[in-house]
Amino acid sequence: MHVLVSYRGALRATPDVTRTRHEARALAQHLLTRARACEPLGEIASAWSDEPFGRRHAGRVHVPSPNLFAPFAPAFAMGPGDLADIIESDYGFHLVQRIR
């Protein structure tokens, strides 16, 4: 599962993303807190992710290799159901949960 919280000026941020980097970080932290309180990350992704594919597919992404996209690499070291800490990339802030 994946949620992207982007900010104005981040790589590939769409024009409708107007939040600052600081606001994006705060939102990502808020969403992580909700996910850790057992709100399904898929529901959070559907409502909040700035990554269009993930938003349409409730955060479900398939990553066959940890080298494919660096923000997903921590998921390969986690157990099923584990939720990573916030990961920052040039795209914004990522919430990643391993589901299998």
Side-chain angles (χ1 to χ4, degrees):
M1 299 293 229
H2 173 248
V3 176
L4 171 64
V5 180
S6 193
Y7 53 88
R8 185 178 55 248
L11 191 61
R12 295 192 182 166
T14 58
D16 62 322
V17 174
T18 60
R19 68 180 74 89
T20 65
R21 182 181 172 279
H22 177 76
E23 291 167 334
R25 171 78 175 163
L27 177 57
Q29 184 60 57
H30 172 73
L31 298 175
L32 179 62
T33 299
R34 289 171 53 176
R36 287 193 170 147
C38 297
E39 184 172 343
L41 196 62
E43 290 179 14
I44 293 170
S46 292
W48 291 96
S49 187
D50 291 317
E51 196 276 306
F53 180 88
R55 184 173 239 188
R56 285 190 312 272
H57 293 91
R60 291 186 182 272
V61 293
H62 174 71
V63 181
S65 164
N67 300 322
L68 183 64
F69 188 59
F72 293 111
F76 286 86
M78 300 185 309
D82 288 349
L83 185 62
D85 289 328
I86 294 170
I87 301 164
E88 185 174 5
S89 78
D90 294 339
Y91 297 90
F93 298 95
H94 305 262
L95 305 182
V96 176
Q97 181 178 36
R98 183 171 179 178
I99 57 173
R100 293 191 239 172

